[in-house]
Structure formats: structure tokens, C-alpha cells
Amino acid sequence: MKLPRRKRDWRPNVYYHVVMRGNNRHYIFKTDEDMYHLIRIISQALQDFRFSVAAFCIMSNHYHLLIQSEDELARIMRQINRRYSDYYCKRYRYVGTIYQQRYFSKSAEDPHSLLYISRYIHRNPIETNTPMVTDLADYYFSSFPVYAQKRPATDLPFLKTGMLPELLPPPMEKSADAYVKFCMDEQVDGIFGDEFCGRQLE
């Protein structure tokens, strides 16, 4: 007998690190248009659900969100993933499941976790075997260019950029510029001291 799926952990307004991967890690975003389409689908979901995203990055075979919601996260992700799958299957005449499994999600409830997970998300394009860009601000399928003030947030209605800079600890400034430097710095493990243990990264 097939056991029912375990209900996911979800609490209103808690941030979750969400990852969705392509089946067998195959590319599910083959072109820039595919990535732009996922962004449009996330934006359109605001018509049906209450949520906001503090950081995101779309890669060739997966995407990341740092998302909090007033509506059940599983319902939001179900709509986003179903609509993107429908688009992908129609565009590429693909039959079957495009995703590896259900999306990964884990809560990020303290400043340490939120900052480090967002940094991890934003650094994806330069942490690949062959970096996709030299400057993270040039990778447009991520929220980083907004923090770096290289892209307006007007076409990303789901993105809220005010929280993460405010979480930076002293003596760092609580500014977008300081947050950008935090993401770019390769030696940041000590900014919270030895008590940080929130490495919830996928």
C-alpha cells in the first residue's frame, strides 16, 4: 500500500529555502526566455497568493527561492511548478516529468541562516565548475543585480530587498552595498562568530 506523503513543514511568514531540480539534473531552463518565463509565472502567482521572495536564482537545471508566505507554501509551489512544466512540455514537445522530485524546502528563521543562505543562492552562477559570469551583477536571472543596483525591481513584484541588509551585524553597514560586499567576500564565515551553525544548504 502506498503511504501518503508526509505533510511539509510550513508556518506563515517564516522564510524557506526552496530548491527545485530538473529530472536527472537535466536542463529545464534551456534559453533566456525559459528563465524569463519562470519569473513571469512567479509574478503571476501574486494574483492568487500572498508571498514575497528575498532572494532567487535560476540556473540551467534548478532554481532557488528564499520565500515567505501568508498562504500555504505547498499550494504556491504547486502552481508555479505546474505552470512552468506545462510551458516546458508544450514548447519542447516533452512527455513526462521534468522535475527530479518534490521541491526541497527548509526553514531559515535566524539572521545567520537568512544571510548565509541568501549568499549561497546569489553565488550560484560563480560557484559552477566554469563560472557563468565574472561579475554576479551581470547575471540577470537572479535577485543579485537588484541588490547591486544594476537592475530595477519594477519587473520583479514578488521581490522584497529591504530585509537582508538590515540583518547584517555590526560593524557592517545595514545597506545594499554592504550586503553586496558580503555576498562577494569569499571569507565571511566569521562575521557571526563560532555560534553560527545554520548551514542548511542544498
Side-chain angles (χ1 to χ4, degrees):
M1 183 177 67
K2 189 175 180 179
L3 295 175
R5 287 181 173 181
R6 185 175 64 180
K7 187 174 177 61
R8 287 186 178 275
D9 168 55
W10 172 76
R11 283 159 288 154
N13 300 314
V14 171
Y15 276 89
Y16 287 83
H17 178 203
V18 168
V19 186
M20 194 74 222
R21 293 194 179 278
N23 198 17
N24 294 318
R25 298 188 180 241
H26 290 163
Y27 285 6
I28 53 175
F29 304 101
K30 297 183 178 182
T31 66
D32 289 357
E33 174 56 29
D34 293 344
M35 297 186 183
Y36 280 125
H37 194 73
L38 178 66
I39 290 171
R40 287 193 289 269
I41 287 171
I42 296 172
S43 298
Q44 291 165 1
L46 286 173
Q47 299 173 15
D48 300 311
F49 303 107
R50 297 165 295 173
F51 68 94
S52 63
V53 173
F56 76 90
C57 187
I58 307 170
M59 302 291 284
S60 297
N61 65 0
H62 70 282
Y63 70 86
H64 296 262
L65 301 175
L66 185 55
I67 182 174
Q68 65 87 26
S69 63
E70 296 176 56
D71 294 309
E72 187 177 359
L73 181 59
R75 294 177 61 212
I76 298 169
M77 295 309 304
R78 187 181 306 119
Q79 176 171 302
I80 291 170
N81 289 328
R82 184 182 67 248
R83 289 184 175 179
Y84 184 77
S85 177
D86 289 346
Y87 156 85
Y88 181 94
C89 291
K90 182 177 180 180
R91 178 171 186 180
Y92 296 106
R93 298 181 179 179
Y94 182 87
V95 177
T97 302
I98 71 168
Y99 303 119
Q100 180 174 307
Q101 56 189 4
R102 291 204 299 168
Y103 65 89
F104 163 92
S105 68
K106 192 163 187 178
S107 62
E109 302 180 52
D110 57 77
H112 317 67
S113 299
L114 287 162
L115 282 171
Y116 276 83
I117 290 171
S118 70
R119 177 180 180 273
Y120 171 80
I121 289 172
H122 284 143
R123 288 181 64 85
N124 260 235
I126 60 172
E127 296 290 354
T128 53
N129 291 333
T130 301
M132 302 175 72
V133 290
T134 301
D135 184 347
L136 282 175
D138 293 333
Y139 192 76
Y140 252 44
F141 307 108
S142 156
S143 45
F144 189 84
V146 178
Y147 285 96
Q149 301 177 58
K150 294 288 185 69
R151 176 184 183 178
T154 52
D155 58 340
L156 301 169
F158 54 83
L159 183 64
K160 306 299 180 186
T161 59
M163 177 194 66
L164 292 173
E166 287 295 320
L167 299 179
L168 292 168
M172 301 177 74
E173 294 182 0
K174 297 181 182 297
S175 67
D177 285 345
Y179 175 73
V180 166
K181 291 177 182 177
F182 164 76
C183 289
M184 292 302 301
D185 190 347
E186 297 194 14
Q187 302 292 329
V188 298
D189 284 350
I191 70 167
F192 285 105
D194 294 336
E195 74 276 12
F196 176 69
C197 60
R199 299 192 179 281
Q200 313 175 62
L201 308 182
E202 165 82 344

